[in-house]
Amino acid sequence: MEEKRFTGACPANLKAVKITGDFWSRFQELVRTQVIPYQWEALNDRIEGAAPSYCMENFKIASGQKAGDFGGCVFQDSDFAKWIEAVGYSLSIHPDAELEKTADEAIDLVCSAQQPDGYLDTYYIINGLQERFTNLAHNHELYCLGHMIEGAVAYYQATGKDKLLNAVRRYADLVNNTFGTGQGKIPGYPGHEIIEMALVRLYDITGEEKYIKLAKYFIDQRGQEPNYFRQEIQSSGKPWGWAKSPFGLQYYQAGKPVREQTAAEGHAVRAVYLYSGMADVARKTNDQSLWNACKTLWNNIVQKRMYITGSIGSTHYGESFTFDYDLPNDSVYGETCAAIGLVFFARRMLEMEVKGEYADVMEQALYNGVISGMSLDGKSFFYVNPLEVIPEASEKDHDRSHVKVQRQKWFGCACCPPNLARLVSSLGTYMYGTGSLEGRDVLYHHLFATGQADFVLDGKSIEIQTETRYPWDGTLKTAFTIPNGEAAFAYSVRIPGWCEHYSLTMNGASAEYQLKDGYAVLNRTFQDGDVVVLQMEMTARLISASPEVRDDFGKVCVCRGPVVYCLEQEDNGNKLHKVRLSGNVSFRENWEDMLDGIVALECEGASVGEAEQTDGKLYRRYTPPVYRPKALRWIPYYAWANRSAGEMAVWVRIQD
Amino acid sequence: MEEKRFTGACPANLKAVKITGDFWSRFQELVRTQVIPYQWEALNDRIEGAAPSYCMENFKIASGQKAGDFGGCVFQDSDFAKWIEAVGYSLSIHPDAELEKTADEAIDLVCSAQQPDGYLDTYYIINGLQERFTNLAHNHELYCLGHMIEGAVAYYQATGKDKLLNAVRRYADLVNNTFGTGQGKIPGYPGHEIIEMALVRLYDITGEEKYIKLAKYFIDQRGQEPNYFRQEIQSSGKPWGWAKSPFGLQYYQAGKPVREQTAAEGHAVRAVYLYSGMADVARKTNDQSLWNACKTLWNNIVQKRMYITGSIGSTHYGESFTFDYDLPNDSVYGETCAAIGLVFFARRMLEMEVKGEYADVMEQALYNGVISGMSLDGKSFFYVNPLEVIPEASEKDHDRSHVKVQRQKWFGCACCPPNLARLVSSLGTYMYGTGSLEGRDVLYHHLFATGQADFVLDGKSIEIQTETRYPWDGTLKTAFTIPNGEAAFAYSVRIPGWCEHYSLTMNGASAEYQLKDGYAVLNRTFQDGDVVVLQMEMTARLISASPEVRDDFGKVCVCRGPVVYCLEQEDNGNKLHKVRLSGNVSFRENWEDMLDGIVALECEGASVGEAEQTDGKLYRRYTPPVYRPKALRWIPYYAWANRSAGEMAVWVRIQD
């Protein structure tokens, strides 16, 4: 590998970060006590009333321990992989001998299905190995391997146990020998990306450059002519589902070489997984044009194709992006996994270049479109995260039938719950980063939660203790424990993009800092016991979208800190489309214990009553509608649909 | 039959009405000179570059004149039926020996395919008669027969030739002997309605009560338990396309008995065809509960499920209704055939009860959502009639891909062009009606156009001459020629619902009249040479929708007389979503020769410019947008997409 040229932030070691503050530790506990155990039951077909997963059953059949047919989706193996990854993270932050024993046994079973040449995908082991690697566009073999690598690395990092890691290395080696543009190799790449970023993690653990090269190959080969997918689809002789779709091969981001792709297109999860892998490979290989492609795609998403909640994917059709500024609130897809993928992408952009906007988007997605995917009790999940819900439309309009009014217990295609589990469990790695600036070590503080974290800076052990009630309060206190007494480094704390007024103190006095790319940089020799306090003014504010966004034009939404708010029928009645705010509206903020503790907002709005126009006529000569005052109550968007089912709206009309 | 109890308006005899005024005679000429000849070429697979129709070819194969397989849709025979119906109307108003000869030869061919028992449907004649009447839900046999009856009646009325009429009678007799709830009969009914109203026409021509009874059977049996379609679908063993749809058996309006149906549901064309047949049967059989069902369904449509253009069908999925007040402008279906079907339904409601609202809706659909289906040169057609078009959405969003930016040459499923042809050609029968009021004859004047018409009233021949520039000008002059010198009757002229101020004169002096249910009734002894002038104040006006309509909330549209207007990109640039009107906007009206002659409207609006907010940020703290004055130019909605392809909008924002 060439020498490192990019000066980004290396993510923190998960084991070095402890989150103890309410907000995120509560989610981590939900994952540990609810999601991971439930998922294990699901993988073993022990959930009463739920369709069987077949996942572990498939491994038993593939290993010859049982007879039977393959069951579930073609990518069913990945359910185990995502589970073991979440288990790994959870064990890293919360050791649990019993869970580890269960995981070890599961790994034994999984590894027992591995073929002599390293191959390990139950669908083809059970259905016939001669067909393997023949339907890359749709049959998810490389996707399953990617997830398996991520799981193996996480489990190894948590426990030091390398059985699964060795298994995936052997499989990755087989793939490395099978794929490529050389003689006798398959010039293909995955239909659903993830293996690219997984291989970079495998490199990080093993130091084997072949894995980076394989990741780079998958990225470089994608979309090249002659187009591998086109040939594969044509030679299959079967009809192709996306033939008449607006995106064609761009459904898989394979319509042209990735460096020529300038807009986020096709299946949103695949897209951001690819871009994450591109960023990883660009960083590892100092690939400037690949980095440029990442920045172009990043800008396209966050400037033109992202919901205020950090959700992406404007249509259910292909779970895909559509076009610039097309952000319908009621027919949105906004898959939980896609918002999670955007967090992956954002963290990798930070690894290349520390700019507040990357962490801003990471935060925006995390506090809104990611955690909205899970109920507050950790037992039910949204796949789709709408910004406006009309129950009757979900029931009676096919094009909005994917928009559910209540979270579902589990899905046949259960990608979102385990994806949430692995992200939430590993959140510590997203909160901090380290790097260097003009020869000095830097500690980047991207995200805020109460807890502690350990780093080595200036060659010395540093522990920080953080205290905050974020996202409900804008005060962040960071105390430095330096056993050696002092250390020279830069503490670079993000000033969130949402924050217009803030102050920084050092041991109670105004702090000296430089503002650089959205971070306040305190570059100094820190003393043991130093305390930095960042005060971010946090009040409810009205946000508007670019006027190019048709569906938000003439509307506003309400945010406070990083949290997007919404109106629910439970608090405000239905017919939320009639609600209007004035531009000078003011909000009362109340801490409430409901919904596991939130700051609720109240304001005076207006609405058009039923009584105004009830002559039964659908159309009439225009007269100005009579708006009457209406008290409105806002709750955080992520907490919606945890009470009664009903209407919900993020964007409401503004009088301007 | 029982004695007539309903006191509606019997439609005028088509041959008695001549339309000579520009507006509708131009459309009738288009149908005669463009649509009918083009369609004949299409039916015979002689259109270069177009997919073959196979229609006449199928008749050749079915009659044994040629060998070959059945081609085209299962309902391909109906294309001939719709053509011959339009030909019949056209010959009624414009005799044409050559066209009649072509039609006679076509009828000879069609009749030569009829089976000894009267059966006449080429799909089953070619593919095997043993399967006939086994897939009523989907295979359209009774639909084809319904159209064939309508065509045969129209051709007989135009020419007096009964060859096709006799053929369809024999087929209808076979159906009559085959269907019913009695022993050995099939207790089914059509998946796509139309035969109900067709059988009533067949009764009108033949006087055979069995046809009314058969129509009544089809209506009464529909949706009864055990449900015929459910059984048919189950016994077919094939997957059922609507199994997971929101409407289920209501896709075919067959989920429950028709008298229990209270909302317009399912496929919109089928629905209004059924309701038209229900109204016909209710009238002929004095069925009060069926009439009540018609009124309930009518009210549901016009009060809650109809676009301002008279279009119906809110979703492409199933070409269907969705739910009350769900009227999206950009993803609408609004099939031309459905608006035509609504005109059928409206006329039949008028036949039961003369109320202006039925004729108002008839007019609303005719001047807007019906004729928008055809280009001004009669050569291309819309299936879908949107009220808002964003070309990029049609291209890149699958859910809006059915919304075309330009009219298409012809369709594989070519229902709309011939349906337009048969309606426009027979428009005379919709313009006038006759009835009686307190023992006196009444002439109802529902729709307005320059021309003449003959009636017998008070036992005397009456000719009226009308002059108007409607819909561009609100003056309607009606002159009475009474060769006998005088006649006592009521002249009942509609005062359109859109009209707020009007005056009526009789021979230049203020006329005496009574206003009754939306009609001005001049009940008197008319003298030869009497002239009635109705002056309707016609100015552009702003219309708003019920506040329950989410998609129109905070918006208005512009109408003038019966004509709905729209903004096109060609005149106003794109990004029409940013346009805003003030409530006190005033319009300049200009007669223009463009678009075959229109009144164009101009006004001062406002829009948010590009320059205001171009920091590249998608979301920002709200500040009131800066609206700048923008001159707007409006054209009639029906004339949109006759110039360049671009954005179009009917509803625009209002500052209130």
Side-chain angles (χ1 to χ4, degrees), chain B residues 42 63 112 162 206 221 265 288 351 436 473 487 612 644 649:
Chain B
S63 66
S112 71
D162 64 3
T206 64
Q221 176 64 3
E265 292 180 328
Q288 196 66 43
E351 292 183 48
S436 67
D473 180 88
E612 257 62 71
S644 59

Side-chain angles (χ1 to χ4, degrees), chain B residues 298-365:
Chain B
W298 171 270
N299 286 337
N300 179 251
I301 292 175
V302 303
Q303 293 177 6
K304 296 176 180 170
R305 300 188 176 204
M306 181 184 75
Y307 288 87
I308 183 93
T309 54
S311 288
I312 49 175
S314 295
T315 176
H316 68 104
Y317 181 74
E319 306 178 319
S320 287
F321 291 103
T322 53
F323 56 96
D324 288 349
Y325 304 114
D326 184 47
L327 295 164
N329 294 304
D330 62 341
S331 60
V332 49
Y333 204 67
E335 186 179 338
T336 306
C337 288
I340 290 170
L342 185 58
V343 172
F344 295 163
F345 186 24
R347 197 197 74 191
R348 284 160 176 82
M349 294 303 278
L350 276 176
E351 292 183 48
M352 303 281 279
E353 174 181 64
V354 182
K355 281 195 172 172
E357 76 166 271
Y358 302 128
D360 284 348
V361 169
M362 197 160 81
E363 179 179 88
Q364 192 174 358

